[in-house]
Amino acid sequence: MNALGERIAALIAAQGPISIAEFMTIALHDPQAGYYATRDPLGASGDFITAPEISQMFGEFLGLWCVQVWHDQGKPAHKRLVELGPGRGTLMADALRAARVAPEFLDGLEIVLVEASPTLRAIQRENLKIWGDKIRWTAQFDDSLGDRPLYLLANEFFDALPIRQYVKGARGWCERMVAVDANGALDFALSPMPALDVTIPPDRAFAPDGGVYEVSPASLALVDEIARIVAHQSGGALIVDYGYDKPGFGETLQAVAEHEFAEVLADLGEGDLSAHVDFPSLAAHARAAGAEAYGPIGQGDFLEDLGLVHRAEHLRTKNPQVADEIWKAVTRLVAPEEMGTLFKALAIVPKNAPKPPGF
Ligand code: SAH
């Protein structure tokens, strides 16, 4: 067990088993040894690669999506562009470059990057330095983001938010916790008593024995807040991530290191922990908060509808020396056996606003 594992085991020995949500929070964000707190996880030399790192077209289209939604809603003058979990800042750099086609959008725009990791924040600052003091950073989505129209982008952010898991047994739904076994090693264990603080949504009533109900309270609370702002101030939010489009009872917590699946409870802080995003619940929460939700639809359909293939052809003609690479990137983003269907897009806009592009 590494030092972070030992610290978690000591915590559990002192206060009892912890929820998977608490475990994920420590493993990802512990200031000394947490995964995101201490490294740049992205790219070929990192642990995983994301859509904006595959092609500049991804960020460009997301930037143009915001411009179009802003345009469709009457071009409000004061506005804010927010990105959740901006990674290396690549998506935002591409989005802002593309948004230059609409100088009025950039005029009077405040840009806010919501980033917990000081390491990634430093990389973002460097990659976005041409935008100077138009950009500010915050560690979490807070009250300062609710006072004007909001255009929000989140790619592979919600999958990193902590989840809780409940397992159906003869006695009801018991929470799956992280405990220590007889040898002092970290292990999963079910709470001895059924959980009293969990309500299984009605669309999940028929769980098989052993079925796992996963819920991310942090994700639902965040979507509530975003949807309320979009409903009251106008704007639009676009959430892209890997996840499911029908409620299920599968277990999806996973660890990834150096582009391979890894053990969730081993080498803590050295692998990324994430879970499939529950898009139906995010959409239901957005609607309950007074906004309209579109999707989820597959990333492939979404990007093709926005004109990805057309844009790729244009880039290939202008850059024949990298024509193959451009085509490979398109395939990676849209092919069903690659990211095209596992990854999905969900949009949140005000009720009665025009349908957002791509949906
Ligand atoms: N959007 C980027 C990076 C995805 S990785 C891309 O597509 O390439 C997840 C990002 O979310 C990282 O920047 C990570 O530091 C950040 N993050 C994860 N959990 C967070 C939290 N609870 N609060 C703020 N940022 C978080």
Side-chain angles (χ1 to χ4, degrees):
M1 207 172 354
N2 65 17
L4 183 58
E6 273 167 20
R7 266 202 282 139
I8 295 178
L11 176 78
I12 293 169
Q15 66 155 54
I18 58 174
S19 69
I20 288 177
E22 278 178 88
F23 169 77
M24 285 178 82
T25 301
I26 301 172
L28 292 177
H29 300 294
D30 179 83
Q32 278 111 51
Y35 179 72
Y36 282 119
T38 55
R39 77 198 60 217
D40 171 10
L42 295 156
S45 59
D47 293 305
F48 58 97
I49 189 155
T50 56
E53 302 296 332
I54 291 171
S55 168
Q56 66 179 73
M57 293 184 287
F58 186 81
E60 291 170 353
F61 275 115
L62 268 54
L64 294 175
W65 187 91
C66 292
V67 170
Q68 186 68 47
V69 170
W70 164 78
H71 189 274
D72 290 348
Q73 293 178 21
K75 306 205 259 181
H78 288 290
K79 55 207 159 322
R80 180 175 288 125
L81 177 61
V82 173
E83 186 182 354
L84 305 179
R88 316 192 76 238
T90 307
L91 191 162
M92 185 53 83
D94 294 336
L96 291 173
R97 191 181 57 253
R100 284 189 199 271
V101 297
E104 250 184 289
F105 176 77
L106 294 171
D107 215 30
L109 179 72
E110 187 193 43
I111 303 162
V112 180
L113 302 186
V114 178
E115 175 57 68
S117 158
T119 308
L120 287 173
R121 217 185 270 200
I123 296 174
Q124 293 156 16
R125 189 167 280 122
E126 177 61 27
N127 286 340
L128 288 158
K129 59 173 183 266
I130 57 163
W131 295 93
D133 54 12
K134 256 179 130 52
I135 304 186
R136 70 178 171 90
W137 276 262
T138 155
Q140 54 193 345
F141 195 96
D142 59 35
D143 289 348
S144 74
L145 303 176
D147 62 354
R148 57 177 91 168
L150 171 69
Y151 303 88
L152 178 137
L153 298 172
N155 185 61
E156 291 215 46
F157 174 78
F158 281 85
D159 68 42
L161 294 186
I163 58 159
R164 299 178 78 164
Q165 290 184 335
Y166 301 88
V167 182
K168 189 172 178 194
R171 284 168 300 143
W173 292 93
C174 292
E175 183 160 6
R176 196 156 169 248
M177 313 286 285
V178 178
V180 285
D181 67 13
N183 302 318
L186 293 176
D187 199 4
F188 291 111
L190 285 187
S191 64
M193 301 297 286
L196 298 175
D197 60 347
V198 61
T199 313
I200 309 298
D203 59 353
R204 313 222 187 191
F206 304 106
D209 244 18
V212 179
Y213 170 55
E214 285 186 345
V215 58
S216 172
S219 300
L220 298 178
L222 181 55
V223 160
D224 286 346
E225 210 170 325
I226 292 167
R228 265 198 303 273
I229 297 171
V230 166
H232 289 115
Q233 300 282 356
S234 86
L238 183 64
I239 297 170
V240 183
D241 220 310
Y242 82 101
Y244 39 92
D245 53 8
K246 288 186 198 66
F249 286 107
E251 202 260 307
T252 74
L253 179 65
Q254 67 180 37
V256 168
E258 295 172 1
H259 304 269
E260 305 276 348
F261 288 112
E263 289 283 326
V264 169
L265 296 181
D267 304 326
L268 294 184
E270 285 157 46
D272 182 37
L273 294 179
S274 67
H276 282 235
V277 171
D278 175 1
F279 281 109
S281 295
L282 297 191
H285 270 252
R287 291 194 186 102
E292 189 53 88
Y294 290 89
I297 59 167
Q299 170 173 297
D301 286 346
F302 174 68
L303 292 175
E304 284 187 44
D305 193 82
L306 293 180
L308 181 75
V309 174
H310 188 77
R311 170 83 178 132
E313 288 301 353
H314 178 76
L315 283 177
R316 276 157 60 97
T317 314
K318 272 178 56 187
N319 307 281
Q321 72 291 358
V322 288
D324 281 358
E325 278 80 352
I326 293 171
W327 201 247
K328 269 191 210 133
V330 169
T331 307
R332 191 93 189 264
L333 293 174
V334 306
E337 68 280 11
E338 304 248 4
M339 298 173 79
T341 55
L342 174 62
F343 281 76
K344 298 179 175 69
L346 176 77
I348 300 170
V349 292
K351 278 204 172 86
N352 307 321
K355 190 161 142 193
F359 288 87

